């Protein structure tokens, strides 16, 4: 059985419908790439998984549980860690304070974070606002890990970063895959980088799942047709 499964998800922003039938499934300990052109509904799908937006139809099953009635403040307690688009941290708290504010009991603590992102340990007493874009992204990932999730969702985690910093983020994602049992859902535009870590893939177009399979089966025809690359 899938660790996370969405079936027939529809969702709207007020009168404006954004999702018309999203299906996806992610197996435990695997990495799922959620792909689609701009504005096709990736972030909206993530909002539904994290319960920031309630679906109007369809079902979200996570770790054997129907999340239908789960409010967003309980999504973290259920084991869902989100690294949101735009890497939100508390700008006027230090790196250390940002980490502590997110902490929930489990294997991930400040010491383990330092092993994954040594740069954050060096910057522990600096205000988050003074960090570089890449360091802020590391902090956003670290904050999500501090909630000790079983599912980690990364929404455009490498967007707008310099190539060398993007490599650091991909290296961290690879380590999470290799060294933990986390399930990962990753939204990113770089198919080449995704191909190194993703086991499964789903493509959405205009709010609907149009393709879903093992990432290895993603053909040039499919990427050209749905992603324009
Ligand atoms: P991107 O890659 O550009 O972030 P996306 O695939 O994540 O795109 P969404 O952000 O989920 O796409 O947007 C899906 C649709 O929902 C779009 O038509 C968008 O305009 C609309 N939408 C997104 N957020 C809102 C909102 N807060 N209010 C109204 N419509 C919204």
């Amino acid at each position: 059985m899938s660790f996370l499964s969405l079936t027939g998800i529809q969702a709207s922003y007020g009168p404006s419908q954004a999702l018309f039938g999203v299906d996806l499934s992610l197996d435990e300990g695997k990495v799922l790439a959620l792909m689609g052109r701009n504005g096709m509904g990736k972030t909206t799908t993530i909002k539904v998984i994290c319960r920031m937006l309630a679906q109007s139809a369809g079902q979200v099953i996570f770790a054997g549980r129907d999340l239908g009635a789960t409010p967003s403040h309980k999504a973290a307690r259920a084991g869902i860690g989100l690294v949101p688009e735009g890497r939100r941290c508390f700008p006027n708290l230090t790196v250390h304070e940002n980490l502590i504010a997110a902490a929930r009991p489990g294997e991930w603590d400040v010491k383990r974070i330092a092993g994954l992102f040594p740069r954050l340990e060096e910057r522990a007493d600096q205000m988050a606002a003074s960090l570089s874009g890449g360091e802020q992204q590391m902090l956003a990932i670290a904050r999500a890990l501090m909630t000790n999730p079983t599912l980690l969702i990364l929404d455009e985690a490498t967007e707008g970063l310099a190539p060398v910093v993007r490599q650091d983020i991909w290296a961290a994602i690879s380590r999470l895959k290799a060294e933990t049992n986390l399930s990962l859902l990753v939204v990113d535009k770089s198919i080449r980088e995704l191909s190194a870590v993703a086991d499964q893939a789903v493509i959405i177009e205009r709010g609907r799942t149009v393709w879903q399979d093992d990432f290895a089966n993603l053909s040039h025809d499919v990427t050209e047709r749905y992603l324009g690359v």
Side-chain angles (χ1 to χ4, degrees):
M1 198 178 71
S2 303
F3 191 53
L4 170 73
S5 83
L6 271 62
T7 41
I9 294 294
Q10 298 186 32
S12 302
Y13 295 99
S16 155
Q17 187 164 355
L19 302 183
F20 296 86
V22 170
D23 301 314
L24 65 78
S25 74
L26 166 59
D27 295 334
E28 191 165 12
K30 301 289 183 195
V31 180
L32 172 69
L34 170 58
M35 300 189 286
R37 289 189 176 97
N38 286 348
M40 290 301 175
K42 302 178 298 295
T43 298
T44 305
T45 299
I46 287 171
K47 284 183 185 166
V48 170
I49 297 168
C50 297
R51 313 314 299 157
M52 292 146 74
L53 184 66
Q55 73 267 29
S56 50
Q59 213 177 22
V60 182
I61 305 285
F62 172 61
R65 207 172 120 192
D66 186 339
L67 291 189
T70 305
S72 62
H73 67 276
K74 291 206 175 145
R77 202 176 305 167
I80 301 174
L82 172 64
V83 183
E85 214 176 358
R87 49 189 97 114
R88 268 164 264 144
C89 306
F90 295 116
N92 298 323
L93 294 185
T94 66
V95 167
H96 184 77
E97 287 165 344
N98 261 282
L99 294 178
I100 297 302
R104 294 177 44 76
E107 290 176 12
W108 284 99
D109 54 17
V110 171
K111 193 162 160 247
R112 190 160 178 204
I113 293 290
L116 185 66
F117 294 124
R119 207 117 44 103
L120 292 182
E121 190 181 29
E122 290 161 22
R123 307 259 187 279
D125 298 322
Q126 246 175 262
M127 291 293 173
S130 72
L131 299 178
S132 70
E135 290 162 353
Q136 286 188 18
Q137 188 62 70
M138 290 171 195
L139 181 57
I141 297 171
R143 280 175 48 79
L145 290 170
M146 286 292 285
T147 69
N148 276 288
T150 49
L151 167 67
L152 182 68
I153 300 176
L154 297 132
D155 192 359
E156 307 264 17
T158 67
E159 180 86 1
L161 301 177
V164 58
V165 185
R166 296 164 75 114
Q167 289 316 313
D168 289 346
I169 301 294
W170 284 112
I173 294 170
S174 294
R175 274 189 66 187
L176 291 174
K177 177 177 175 168
E179 297 172 17
T180 75
N181 196 34
L182 265 173
S183 305
L184 289 140
L185 190 157
V186 184
V187 172
D188 201 277
K189 292 198 174 64
S190 171
I191 295 180
R192 194 168 58 93
E193 308 295 356
L194 280 172
S195 71
V197 291
D199 303 293
Q200 305 171 277
V202 59
I203 300 179
I204 53 180
E205 187 169 66
R206 294 194 190 91
R208 250 179 252 278
T209 294
V210 289
W211 192 89
Q212 178 166 211
D213 203 342
D214 289 344
F215 194 98
N217 293 333
L218 194 59
S219 66
H220 181 67
D221 282 356
V222 171
T223 57
E224 191 173 62
R225 178 165 172 197
Y226 296 118
L227 307 173
V229 287

